[in-house]
Amino acid sequence: MPEGGTLKDWIAETLAAELAPTHLDVIDESHLHAGHAGWRESGETHFRLDVVSAAFEGKSRVERHRLVNGLLDGAFKRGLHALAVRARTPGEAA
């Protein structure tokens, strides 16, 4: 994981490189969880993803989430506490 960059940027770059998404939103929702478990004042603890990729074709919802979580293992090690994932195929997003 690059030093000095934001976790949000690293998440976006990692998913772009690994999934070649046709759509990707990485939203930092940490401010919505102030005072809750895992929250830090510095932020970047809670993210919401909306990703559309052909890599999800033929995969169940659980398999899609496992794929994304596996790709972002480094983010969890860096302090990511919670991740909400919406993972769709291009056909599902149309």
Side-chain angles (χ1 to χ4, degrees), residues 29-77:
E29 295 186 335
S30 301
H31 65 285
L32 300 174
H33 301 274
H36 297 163
W39 176 82
R40 290 185 315 272
E41 193 167 326
S42 60
E44 295 206 307
T45 57
H46 296 72
F47 283 90
R48 178 171 302 279
L49 302 178
D50 184 7
V51 58
V52 177
S53 172
F56 299 133
E57 294 284 351
K59 291 182 173 46
S60 71
R61 181 176 177 206
V62 170
E63 290 169 324
R64 295 172 189 194
H65 285 229
R66 285 182 180 156
L67 174 59
V68 170
N69 286 338
L71 293 172
L72 299 181
D73 184 58
F76 285 100
K77 290 177 180 172

